Amino acid sequence: MEKDVIVVGAGLAGLAAAAEIADGGRTVLLVDQEPEASLGGQAWWSFGGLFLVDSPEQRRLGIKDSRELAWQDWLGSAGFDREDEDSWARRWAEAYVEFAAGEKREWLRRMGIRFFPVVGWAERGGYLAEGHGNSVPRFHIVWGTGPAIVAPFEARVRQHMQSGRLAYLPRHRVDRLLTENGSVVGIAGAVLAPSAAKRGEPSSRDVVGDFEYRAQAVLVSSGGIGGNPELIRQNWPARLGEPPKRMLAGVPAHVDGRMLGIAESAGGRIVNRDRMWHYTEGLKNWDPVWSNHGIRILPGPSSVWLDAEGRRFPAPAFPGFDTLGTLEAIQKTGYDYSWFILTKKIIKKEFALSGSEQNPDLTGKSIRKVLGRVLPGAPGPVQAFMDHGEDFVIADDLRALVEGMNRLTGSPLIRFEDIERTLRARDREMVNKFTKDLQITALRGARNYIGDKLIRVASPHELLDPKNGPLIAVRLSLVSRKTLGGLQTDLSGRVLNAEGAPVPGLYAAGEAAGFGGGGLHGYRALEGTFLGGCLFSGRTAGRGIVEDCR
């Protein structure tokens, strides 16, 4: 099979790159170790949030955003401090913010992608103006969530398949990159047995044959290490404490990081290995798709966050403010879980679950079902976790709630007197419009944004007032997710070697490249930037390959 370019990995970055390469007149071979059912990779499972700057959706809600403000926020979050490893990452970050403030929205709209009218406010920060976090809401939810992002790129790829310009080979696992005189000239590996596994389900690794294909260029877009606990622990940053003994898996097991090591063996340089992004608000999925399947809560700012022994986390470890800061605080407790305490009034308005399958109204583009979110009670998927999941305790009084929390963990770590004191102290701060409790200040401030007031933040209230009950406690686990470091690339997507020179014939995009440059997020992400990073790096690398092949 003679093709100009080989793309390894059929996730969102791979689809975007393959489409650009074929659009540019080059022939493409797209290979992936998973069955065709998993085309689109992790993006299909996503909530579909995209980082946009100064969009019409923001302006309609009275949000004043700008490229300058977004870049200030990005730098404050990234904290670039490695002159060598961050040299290209920073350039990629600046290019991406420019893209998000410029042509990104219109480019997506031309492919039929539309956005939910209310912009979400993720990673609110809680520090000074130049610190971590989004100064304004920027989380634009795609109408149709993850599947709607994948669909137009899959359609472009399938059109090129029909024309013969692109060939797609699922169940082809790359085991090595072919090199000649320092250049990457192809791939070799094993043909895996056909599998009827559905999207995300484990597929067999039975080998039925082998293959070898050559091309002018090979692009690696195989994802990160989020499904490989051993690699996560191996690369765990010391600044976050000891690696957790237990984590839920936020991605399928095939997100194993194999191709990173294979690309490194061919001369590519991996940078920022210790930078990663894991969530702290995880639930064990009561209806799992893959092993140890974790679902992340997308919380509003009102729940009281406690450690495993019932101590309230200090500012700004509030729900939705600083993911990695809170992860560090949890790890320092010596436990791998924490708790939310909230009320029925809070869970009704503030709990959403990440993932396309957990949001059937948005995924199915059903206006009627979306309007159903204003009805009494928790949203349907959240109620299902309350009814069937193992992490919820619901009680009419605080003493019964604490007993249920201790019963759930099998350890009497939480004392009723401590929790009662903490919650009563918090409730006393509710009687005035002013307070010294920074979380209450923050949630009142959030309600100044019309989007939060309408659908995201409950009106401030006393947790121990029975009229707001019942009380709810939620055990939160850590959920593995994203690799922020990766193969270092220049602004054309070319993989660089240890000397900083391009490895001839080798390119990378998506999570395998740290979403661009080996880590354009730096230490922290602003959210909505992972899918966008896959799209931008895939598009950029695809166009770079077309140009280089000339």
Side-chain angles (χ1 to χ4, degrees):
M1 184 182 299
E2 295 289 336
K3 298 294 181 184
D4 297 324
V5 182
I6 297 170
V7 174
V8 182
L12 185 60
L15 294 180
E20 291 290 336
I21 295 165
D23 286 351
R26 296 293 168 176
T27 56
V28 184
L29 173 61
L30 175 63
V31 301
D32 195 286
Q33 68 179 355
E34 293 307 299
E36 188 168 352
S38 288
L39 189 70
Q42 298 175 61
W44 192 93
W45 296 103
S46 74
F47 190 43
L50 288 173
F51 178 91
L52 296 175
V53 178
D54 192 26
S55 69
E57 289 78 15
Q58 288 175 299
R59 293 194 292 270
R60 280 194 288 268
L61 293 167
I63 300 166
K64 296 179 181 179
D65 200 5
S66 66
R67 188 199 65 79
E68 292 76 19
L69 181 60
W71 183 235
Q72 172 181 299
D73 289 347
W74 195 287
L75 287 177
S77 297
F80 295 123
D81 60 2
R82 298 171 178 174
E83 183 176 351
D84 180 26
E85 294 186 74
D86 287 338
S87 59
W88 285 101
R90 183 184 173 113
R91 284 182 252 187
W92 269 90
E94 191 165 13
Y96 178 66
V97 170
E98 193 74 43
F99 177 63
E103 64 175 310
K104 179 180 179 181
R105 181 180 180 276
E106 183 56 33
W107 177 64
L108 293 171
R109 280 184 61 85
R110 288 198 301 268
M111 286 182 275
I113 291 175
R114 298 294 182 267
F115 297 97
F116 188 65
V118 179
V119 182
W121 195 353
E123 286 297 297
R124 302 174 189 226
Y127 302 92
L128 301 180
E130 292 183 287
H132 168 63
N134 285 293
S135 298
V136 298
R138 295 191 179 103
F139 192 78
H140 294 67
I141 301 168
V142 169
W143 185 233
T145 67
I149 294 177
V150 171
F153 295 94
E154 178 181 348
R156 289 171 63 190
V157 164
R158 292 197 181 279
Q159 288 173 359
H160 288 301
M161 288 169 62
Q162 292 176 357
S163 71
R165 184 168 288 170
L166 187 149
Y168 167 48
L169 296 179
R171 304 299 286 158
H172 280 58
R173 185 187 69 202
V174 175
D175 294 328
R176 62 191 177 95
L177 296 176
L178 303 177
T179 60
E180 291 179 359
N181 300 320
S183 298
V184 172
V185 297
I187 59 173
V191 180
L192 304 180
S195 173
K198 296 178 182 177
R199 184 183 294 275
E201 292 180 349
S203 60
S204 79
R205 291 296 178 260
D206 297 335
V207 175
V208 296
D210 54 30
F211 66 85
E212 183 175 302
Y213 297 111
R214 292 177 172 255
Q216 296 178 49
V218 175
L219 182 141
V220 175
S221 55
S222 53
I225 66 173
N228 190 329
E230 182 179 339
L231 269 180
I232 290 173
R233 293 189 179 97
Q234 181 179 318
N235 293 306
W236 188 263
R239 63 185 175 276
L240 295 181
E242 290 295 315
K245 294 182 176 65
R246 185 184 70 94
M247 292 184 79
L248 299 176
V251 295
H254 65 253
V255 187
D256 54 18
R258 289 182 72 256
M259 282 303 303
L260 290 171
I262 291 169
E264 188 175 28
S265 296
R269 183 192 185 200
I270 297 175
V271 295
N272 300 311
R273 295 175 192 266
D274 64 330
R275 292 181 183 170
M276 51 185 72
W277 187 259
H278 305 301
Y279 291 117
T280 51
E281 315 98 328
L283 304 175
K284 185 72 176 290
N285 195 346
W286 65 272
D287 186 21
V289 177
W290 53 82
S291 177
N292 198 32
H293 189 171
I295 295 292
R296 184 206 176 193
I297 297 169
L298 300 171
S302 299
S303 298
V304 172
W305 206 334
L306 308 172
D307 70 15
E309 296 184 1
R311 295 179 293 252
R312 191 174 175 191
F313 285 113
F318 310 142
F321 278 71
D322 179 5
T323 295
L324 286 197
T326 307
L327 175 58
E328 181 179 359
I330 292 170
Q331 287 301 103
K332 286 181 177 177
T333 69
Y335 298 93
D336 54 18
Y337 69 94
S338 59
W339 292 97
F340 277 171
I341 289 183
L342 60 152
T343 63
K344 180 180 179 181
K345 190 172 183 179
I346 292 173
I347 204 167
K348 173 185 179 298
K349 197 161 188 178
E350 296 198 9
F351 264 40
L353 299 173
S354 183
S356 56
E357 82 284 14
Q358 300 297 332
N359 294 274
D361 49 354
L362 294 168
T363 302
K365 302 182 180 181
S366 171
I367 295 175
R368 180 180 63 82
K369 290 182 178 179
V370 169
L371 292 175
R373 293 192 180 215
V374 303
L375 297 175
V382 175
Q383 187 64 53
F385 270 85
M386 294 172 68
D387 294 339
H388 306 294
E390 62 183 58
D391 295 308
F392 283 80
V393 179
I394 304 170
D396 290 325
D397 66 84
L398 184 60
R399 189 174 294 276
L401 188 80
V402 170
E403 290 173 355
M405 294 165 73
N406 285 331
R407 190 163 52 247
L408 180 61
T409 62
S411 300
L413 294 175
I414 297 179
R415 297 176 67 250
F416 166 75
E417 294 79 10
D418 295 338
I419 301 298
E420 183 183 42
R421 186 189 69 252
T422 295
L423 297 188
R424 289 202 183 281
R426 181 261 185 204
D427 282 357
R428 290 188 190 104
E429 300 288 316
M430 305 305 296
V431 298
N432 294 296
K433 291 184 179 180
F434 40 87
T435 175
K436 69 177 181 181
D437 189 312
L438 291 180
Q439 184 176 6
I440 295 172
T441 298
L443 70 91
R444 285 175 172 157
R447 285 175 61 84
N448 289 326
Y449 166 48
I450 187 65
D452 274 353
K453 186 173 184 178
L454 287 175
I455 67 171
R456 199 70 181 106
V457 182
S459 57
H461 60 274
E462 297 178 26
L463 299 181
L464 295 180
D465 188 334
K467 71 181 180 184
N468 297 317
L471 289 166
I472 302 167
V474 187
R475 180 179 59 182
L476 306 171
S477 299
L478 307 181
V479 183
S480 69
R481 199 65 175 175
K482 296 296 181 186
T483 311
L484 298 188
L487 292 163
Q488 192 172 41
T489 57
D490 67 13
L491 286 174
S492 294
R494 295 177 292 189
V495 174
L496 306 178
N497 62 20
E499 288 71 44
V503 178
L506 184 59
Y507 298 75
E511 195 171 349
F515 302 93
L520 62 75
H521 294 95
Y523 287 95
R524 283 178 164 94
L526 288 173
E527 288 287 20
T529 55
F530 298 130
L531 292 173
C534 286
L535 291 172
F536 181 61
S537 62
R539 186 181 95 145
T540 300
R543 293 181 178 184
I545 288 172
V546 170
E547 186 64 29
D548 290 348
C549 283
R550 289 175 182 166

